[in-house]
Amino acid sequence: EHIQAEIQKDTGQASRDLGWSASLFNQFLCGRRPVNSEHIIKISNYFDISPDAIDPNFNPPKRSSIKVF
């Protein structure tokens, strides 16, 4: 229970930091809702990981409002 509470706290904070509802972020994490390239970029920047770690077939869009770090 303690670990589950910590995970929920962390995902709740991440969703707020990313500007999404906790429900939406949870749907992404559980695979119930597809992520687009901008979602992948936001998540990868937030967690300081490569977009390829989220989607091995990731191709950055030619135009995006979010820069990949």
Side-chain angles (χ1 to χ4, degrees):
E1 277 183 27
H2 177 68
I3 293 172
Q4 184 64 27
E6 286 298 314
I7 291 170
Q8 287 178 344
K9 178 179 151 189
D10 292 343
T11 57
Q13 184 62 51
S15 64
R16 285 188 294 279
D17 292 345
L18 291 165
W20 300 327
S21 70
S23 175
L24 176 65
F25 191 47
N26 188 48
Q27 289 177 26
F28 290 152
L29 293 176
C30 294
R32 288 188 293 239
R33 185 172 182 146
V35 291
N36 64 31
S37 55
E38 290 208 3
H39 297 137
I40 292 172
I41 293 168
K42 263 184 124 169
I43 294 167
S44 68
N45 287 345
Y46 182 80
F47 289 105
D48 195 26
I49 59 173
S50 168
D52 296 331
I54 298 169
D55 180 357
N57 299 315
F58 179 75
N59 289 315
K62 293 187 188 296
R63 292 183 176 208
S64 176
S65 61
I66 304 170
K67 183 178 177 181
V68 177
F69 295 111

